[in-house]
Amino acid sequence: MRKAEALIFEKGQPGRRAVDLPACDVPAPDAAALIPDAYRRKTPATLPEVSQLELMRHYTALSRRTFGVDTGFYPLGSCTMKYNPKINEDAGRLDGFAALHPLQDEATAQGALAVLAAMEQYLAEIAGMDAVTMQPAAGAHGELTGIKLIRAYHRHRGENRTKVIVPDSAHGTNPATAAVCGLEIVEIKSHADGAIDLDALRAAVGSDTAALMLTNPSTLGLFERNIREVAAIVHAAGGLLYYDGANANAIMGVSRPGDMGFDVIHFNLHKTFATPHGGGGPGSGPVGVKSGLIPFLPTPVVVAADGGYRLDYDRPLSIGKVLSFYGNFGVIVRAYAYIRAMGPDGLLAASRDAVLNANYCLSRLKEKYHSPFDRFCMHECVLTSKNQKPYGVRTLDIAKRLLDYGYHPPTIYFPLIVEEALMIEPTETESKETLDGFIEAMLKIAAEAEEDAAIVKNAPATTVVGRLDEAAAARKPVVRWQP
Amino acid sequence: MTRSYLPHTAVDRQAMLAAIGVAATEDLFADIPAGLRLDRPLALPAALAEQELARHLRDLAGQNASLGEYACFLGAGAYDHYIPSVVDHVIGRSEFYTAYTQYQPEISQGYLQALWEYQSMICALTGLDVANASLYDGGTALAEAAMMACAATGRQEVVVARAVHPHYRIILGTYAADRGLTVKEAPFADGATGVAGLAELAGPATAAVIVQTPNFFGCLEDVAAAAELAHKAGALLVVAADPVALGVLEAPGALGADIVVGEGQPLGLPVSFGGPYLGFFAATEKLMRKMPGRIVGQTTDFEGTRGFVLTLQAREQHIRREKATSNICSNEALCSLAAAVYLTAVGREGLREVAELCLKKAHYAHAELVNRKVCQPVFGAPFFQEFAVRCAKPVAAVNAALRREKIIGGLDLGRYYPELAGCMLLCVTEKRTKAEIDRLVRTMEAVS
Ligand SMILES: Cc1ncc(COP(=O)(O)O)c(C=O)c1O
């Protein structure tokens, strides 16, 4: 049923309210006497005026026009849309965590510091690193922190290394991060199978190489088999290796970035460690480092002291701070609960099932969809719409048709090096029945493309709006409501 | 292994392996060189069943002194405001919190609309034309604003008031360091940033003048004067604002600010030991295409039905890569949703009322402490809900005494400003009752 939902500003009546506030219980002068006239707001901001029921109906209506993991299968590649356990939500809301002020005396926050310390230790173990900071708020923020750590490390050794090597298969945040850290980007081509071209890498490294940023498994869902050679080449040139942990769901307990030769890593707790994506955040992007980079970690650092923990701000070589306090603590608590629920065997089983599920989808879908690589994938697989192209059907059309079948589409048009890419990441929390249902839908769409392409090209037919005019939105932006 | 988060039975796995055409799951990992396979279990604690985990988490949480138990007079960047019940009921709807970024607008209309409404509310509060869907927190929003001002003006220097939150200034320094940007700090006098101090530092190389209002000391800054001086130098004015204070303070955009950022935590988010919070970010229309982060725009579908999409994506890393305006990808969307629900709940009149309650209670507390000579006032500038006082005893000793009375006292300002050693920054929000304030005053009186 196609229908716009009225805006919150179009609902309610002047004078309505959705929460009752207490009367002022202290004697005090009027606001007008406390705030200089020139500083004082004369007309209230145009905020909604609705009753509590109107508020709940509005947001309930909006939630019903939103698709989440709890709604249905969400195989969005590179995003690890696994199930978000409910007890983790309860954990983040416990008064002792949620109602804890970040600047309270450390003695009154020992339980929270214990969670931070434990998470640092667990993630260091999973990554094969020596220390971890929980401060970054998301993956890209972890990248920024990690690259700043690398710059500080080189600078401290008296070297001004100005270039970051990034493969052409990299996620956009990698080059963007290097740029906002004031570094130049050297993009190197990948082989057709996504592997790094070692000759290209040898030609690219030099005394100006600060780091190589790499995702392994790569953004094609394939493990970089030459990772040890890659590490040796970069290290021989004096550069460091940065691991983008977006794809770590494939390797928990299987293989460790630190053992592969990486010096710095970020994890996305909102991917690998089951914290909810929240509609695009909040996430958490902890960064792990080898020992040589520890002095540069952001402040404060949690340290053990007197049988408890304290926060150490006295870190003269630190890069400073990347977030106001200690990280997205509420997210960290949820990930902590996940790791404690899974245990070492559970995490390993999760990675193994994630890889099993991706290969199952790949093996069944490649009859109808072009698979650019003839090998097993890791936790996600990349297909294309090459076989559907003769019928005029593109990847975007397939994605939109999946909406009619009740599925969130895979990631599309990424990685950029695969034409018309469809990147499927099922995750380990999906059952075989769910995968079978999805595979059937994908196969049906392939058949529709051959027999009745219009159905696919005009999809979706069943959503609350049809395909939207994105060009118009960008040409003449309407980015707020005006009375 | 079958677990509540891992659905496969042994039969499922066998069937799937058979379909793939391999004998064992290990075969799928053949690409990982043997020497790189971990040959031992991860050294992590053994799995806990749900009820064991629930107990363990309760125990850990119980080791902290929560604001549910203690009356909090600590602010300094994280504020203990009342959170209306509806906020958590809305953001607890799992259609919202288990979704990801709205890449597929047709099945994300609800969330996109909520974010667009959030942007509209931030524009209304700040008096500016365009707001993004969020940044990580107040400190990173301020740093991004400075970076954007440099890009927009082609200049390499920012002047920041020393009365801006010390953590924000450290973040600014961290962000600026690797980009060859210079950060100059302008002094304060009597709690507020003097125009003269800013004017002395702002010049033809200045991209941005940055002030915070209320500033770190709770004092109100003269935004209009700062705007005039910044613009005279050809620089942009960046204002970091407390969104609740904007219930009673003039919109900075109306006073000449070009960019308004701030910590959105006061809008319905728990203090949560420092995060997740919400960096809000608004700017003039002229700066729209230079902004960091996601922006939702209104459009129509091919039949003319109103709809919403992520827009102006040519600014962002997934399109522009190293030419992007920022590297941000995931933001704090759910926190924006919470803020929108909060602002809807309190509404047009309610936000002013909340702000006035904070203002009045803080002034009552200040008057009690000063009039009873419990401590001395430090600054004379007008303030909102935070104020500095000089204590006769060391701040740590005062706070220890308060803690015994189930009160979390103020921040030791000497930690950040050596010249303010012995001074305490107190915060009084609308949540503090007269009885709690009186208890604070009595207890401080007893130690002084
Ligand atoms: C490969 C890769 N790197 C980095 C990121 C950025 O992570 P975040 O969105 O948490 O900033 C993503 C996010 O999708 C990703 O897929």
Side-chain angles (χ1 to χ4, degrees):
Chain A
M1 252 282 287
R2 301 248 149 110
K3 193 168 170 295
E5 178 66 34
L7 302 171
I8 191 70
F9 306 103
E10 297 164 344
K11 297 178 178 175
Q13 291 294 336
R16 280 199 193 139
R17 57 170 60 228
V19 65
D20 300 315
L21 298 169
C24 187
D25 62 354
V26 298
D30 263 6
L34 299 174
I35 300 175
D37 197 53
Y39 296 3
R40 207 153 38 79
R41 189 185 279 265
K42 307 299 181 319
T43 35
T46 48
L47 296 173
E49 293 178 278
V50 296
S51 71
Q52 200 171 104
L53 177 57
E54 285 173 309
L55 181 154
M56 283 313 297
R57 289 231 174 102
H58 178 69
Y59 285 104
T60 302
L62 295 188
S63 77
R64 296 178 63 187
R65 297 160 76 90
T66 300
F67 188 102
V69 172
D70 283 1
T71 316
F73 186 43
Y74 210 130
L76 192 66
S78 206
C79 297
T80 315
M81 302 302 289
K82 62 171 76 175
Y83 172 63
N84 310 127
K86 300 308 151 193
I87 188 167
N88 302 359
E89 294 305 303
D90 301 342
R93 287 173 167 82
L94 288 169
D95 230 27
F97 293 138
L100 192 62
H101 194 287
L103 297 173
Q104 258 174 247
D105 192 294
E106 290 152 12
T108 67
Q110 287 295 307
L113 293 175
V115 169
L116 290 177
M119 280 300 282
E120 290 176 10
Q121 190 195 328
Y122 299 166
L123 295 176
E125 164 67 4
I126 295 166
M129 292 284 164
D130 297 319
V132 169
T133 171
M134 301 305 296
Q135 202 171 110
H141 204 214
E143 292 174 35
L144 180 127
T145 307
I147 294 300
K148 284 189 179 290
L149 291 170
I150 289 171
R151 287 212 75 175
Y153 169 87
H154 289 311
R155 216 180 270 135
H156 187 64
R157 294 158 53 95
E159 294 184 350
N160 183 28
R161 293 171 172 263
T162 55
K163 291 185 176 154
V164 170
I165 303 171
V166 183
D168 56 2
S169 60
H171 192 258
T173 51
N174 294 182
T177 297
V180 300
C181 291
L183 294 166
E184 262 175 75
I185 289 86
V186 182
E187 190 174 278
I188 54 166
K189 290 242 166 304
S190 308
H191 285 300
D193 68 351
I196 292 203
D197 183 328
L198 293 180
D199 292 328
L201 180 62
R202 277 189 202 98
V205 296
S207 58
D208 56 0
T209 303
L212 167 72
M213 294 182 87
L214 206 60
T215 312
N216 192 22
S218 72
T219 57
L220 300 161
L222 304 174
F223 195 86
E224 177 62 61
R225 287 181 281 212
N226 295 324
I227 186 60
R228 279 186 292 201
E229 289 76 4
V230 168
I233 293 168
V234 175
H235 283 154
L240 298 183
L241 265 81
Y242 184 90
Y243 183 95
D244 176 336
N247 292 342
N249 206 41
I251 58 150
M252 290 184 291
V254 175
S255 184
R256 307 195 307 167
D259 300 336
M260 297 174 201
F262 286 93
D263 304 286
V264 183
I265 173 179
H266 82 258
F267 281 119
N268 301 60
L269 300 188
H270 47 297
K271 296 177 182 176
T272 316
F273 298 96
T275 70
H277 283 71
S284 174
V287 168
V289 295
K290 290 278 176 67
S291 58
L293 291 111
I294 291 175
F296 310 104
L297 289 174
T299 58
V301 170
V302 183
V303 293
D306 311 325
Y309 301 95
R310 67 177 182 85
L311 293 166
D312 180 15
Y313 285 87
D314 186 18
R315 319 265 311 170
L317 295 179
S318 165
I319 59 166
K321 279 178 130 343
V322 295
L323 203 68
S324 299
F325 298 104
Y326 324 115
N328 278 345
F329 181 73
V331 177
I332 295 164
V333 167
R334 286 166 172 83
Y336 173 83
Y338 175 72
I339 293 176
R340 295 304 309 262
M342 297 298 276
D345 47 349
L347 292 180
L348 174 64
S351 284
R352 290 166 57 98
D353 281 350
V355 171
L356 177 66
N357 280 0
N359 278 288
Y360 181 67
C361 291
L362 172 63
S363 71
R364 292 202 50 201
L365 289 172
K366 70 184 180 194
E367 319 159 16
K368 285 290 174 187
Y369 291 90
H370 169 243
S371 159
F373 317 107
D374 186 25
R375 58 194 260 207
F376 295 127
C377 62
M378 298 298 286
H379 67 303
E380 62 191 359
C381 64
V382 175
L383 299 168
T384 86
S385 57
K386 190 174 174 184
N387 300 344
Q388 287 68 43
K389 195 175 174 187
Y391 309 104
V393 168
R394 303 186 55 209
T395 288
L396 181 72
D397 304 317
I398 295 165
K400 295 303 179 197
R401 185 62 177 150
L402 272 170
L403 302 178
D404 287 332
Y405 285 100
Y407 296 101
H408 193 288
T411 291
I412 55 176
Y413 300 102
F414 177 76
L416 306 179
I417 60 169
V418 174
E419 209 175 309
E420 296 283 324
L422 271 159
M423 181 196 244
I424 301 171
E425 181 179 7
T427 84
E428 73 282 3
T429 57
E430 299 296 339
S431 68
K432 178 169 179 294
E433 302 89 282
T434 300
L435 302 184
D436 285 336
F438 171 74
I439 290 162
E440 289 313 320
M442 285 290 287
L443 296 177
K444 226 186 257 166
I445 293 169
E448 286 172 350
E450 292 171 25
E451 290 150 20
D452 187 4
I455 255 198
V456 184
K457 291 203 284 194
N458 295 328
T462 57
T463 47
V464 293
V465 291
R467 286 197 203 185
L468 292 152
D469 192 342
E470 301 194 13
R475 211 168 36 243
K476 246 187 136 287
V478 180
V479 292
R480 68 175 158 134
W481 174 77
Q482 281 175 282
Chain B
M1 179 191 300
T2 305
R3 290 259 187 92
S4 53
Y5 314 155
L6 299 174
H8 293 336
T9 62
V11 175
D12 293 330
R13 289 198 184 89
Q14 271 317 315
M16 294 169 79
L17 289 170
I20 297 166
V22 293
T25 310
E26 282 74 60
D27 300 348
L28 302 173
F29 289 89
D31 278 349
I32 303 183
L36 292 182
R37 308 255 187 100
L38 192 65
D39 56 2
R40 59 167 177 84
L42 288 168
L44 297 173
L48 295 175
E50 184 168 307
Q51 69 173 34
E52 296 165 332
L53 179 60
R55 177 186 293 268
H56 170 66
L57 291 165
R58 248 197 336 267
D59 288 348
L60 273 174
Q63 293 170 27
N64 303 315
S66 92
L67 306 191
E69 249 182 284
Y70 288 72
C72 178
F73 289 90
L74 181 59
Y79 299 100
D80 183 31
H81 290 289
Y82 180 72
I83 301 174
S85 175
V86 289
V87 174
D88 209 40
H89 283 279
V90 171
I91 68 166
R93 287 192 67 92
S94 68
E95 297 88 338
F96 287 132
Y97 78 79
T98 71
Y100 195 24
T101 305
Q102 297 71 33
Y103 297 122
Q104 297 290 339
E106 298 88 345
I107 53 166
S108 311
Q109 279 305 297
Y111 215 132
L112 285 162
Q113 181 172 332
L115 291 173
W116 190 86
E117 291 172 356
Y118 159 81
Q119 291 172 187
S120 304
M121 294 177 203
I122 294 297
C123 289
L125 278 184
T126 57
L128 287 170
D129 307 315
V130 51
N132 72 14
S134 71
L135 296 174
Y136 303 132
D137 72 354
T140 60
L142 181 135
E144 289 274 13
M147 301 303 115
M148 178 171 105
C150 291
T153 58
R155 298 178 177 189
Q156 298 284 307
E157 198 176 282
V158 297
V159 175
V160 62
R162 206 168 152 249
V164 167
H165 196 301
H167 291 181
Y168 295 9
R169 284 182 287 124
I170 297 173
I171 298 171
L172 174 62
T174 301
Y175 271 62
D178 295 320
R179 307 177 84 168
L181 306 179
T182 309
V183 179
K184 294 182 173 172
E185 296 198 337
F188 57 86
D190 210 20
T193 306
V195 175
L198 287 173
E200 204 169 294
L201 295 174
T206 308
V209 171
I210 308 176
V211 297
Q212 182 177 19
T213 192
N215 64 26
F216 189 63
F217 309 120
C219 296
L220 305 180
E221 297 282 14
D222 188 346
V223 173
E228 196 187 320
L229 147 186
H231 295 156
K232 206 182 279 169
L236 301 175
L237 179 70
V238 177
V239 174
D242 175 331
V244 168
L246 291 179
V248 286
L249 296 183
E250 181 58 287
L255 298 171
D258 303 282
I259 306 170
V260 179
V261 297
E263 179 49 72
Q265 177 274 326
L267 303 176
L269 297 169
V271 283
S272 193
F273 206 49
Y277 287 177
L278 164 67
F280 68 86
F281 190 112
T284 57
E285 187 169 357
K286 225 171 102 190
L287 295 167
M288 178 164 64
R289 286 170 202 271
K290 295 248 177 347
M291 277 173 59
R294 299 203 158 108
I295 298 176
V296 179
Q298 183 185 304
T299 185
T300 54
D301 71 3
F302 63 98
E303 291 172 341
T305 305
R306 176 171 69 196
F308 300 91
V309 291
L310 295 174
T311 196
L312 301 172
Q313 295 190 67
R315 301 165 298 112
E316 291 188 70
Q317 48 74 29
H318 60 285
I319 309 286
R320 288 300 292 283
R321 299 175 79 80
E322 68 267 25
K323 303 236 159 50
T325 54
S326 162
N327 71 331
I328 193 167
C329 181
S330 290
N331 52 25
E332 307 279 304
L334 197 71
C335 303
S336 304
L337 176 63
V341 178
Y342 177 86
L343 289 169
T344 301
V346 296
R348 185 183 148 104
E349 286 305 321
L351 188 70
R352 181 180 55 76
E353 290 169 24
V354 172
E356 287 194 0
L357 283 171
C358 300
L359 181 77
K360 290 177 182 177
K361 291 184 181 213
H363 282 80
Y364 169 72
H366 184 266
E368 287 291 294
L369 288 168
V370 171
N371 295 344
R372 290 169 183 274
K373 307 223 176 342
V374 176
C375 32
Q376 291 173 328
V378 179
F379 300 125
F383 63 93
F384 174 56
Q385 63 177 4
E386 288 180 279
F387 56 86
V389 287
R390 191 176 296 281
C391 308
K393 290 274 162 58
V395 173
V398 177
N399 277 336
L402 288 169
R403 200 150 60 239
R404 285 192 289 277
E405 295 299 317
K406 293 268 170 189
I407 290 173
I408 292 186
L411 183 87
D412 185 347
L413 279 170
R415 177 170 157 189
Y416 298 105
Y417 299 89
E419 71 271 36
L420 296 177
C423 297
M424 179 189 258
L425 182 68
L426 285 162
C427 174
V428 189
T429 68
E430 85 286 6
K431 257 179 94 171
R432 298 288 71 83
T433 62
K434 178 167 182 296
E436 288 170 340
I437 297 169
D438 292 343
R439 185 149 54 97
L440 171 90
V441 174
R442 271 199 317 274
T443 312
M444 286 180 70
E445 200 162 25
V447 265
S448 69

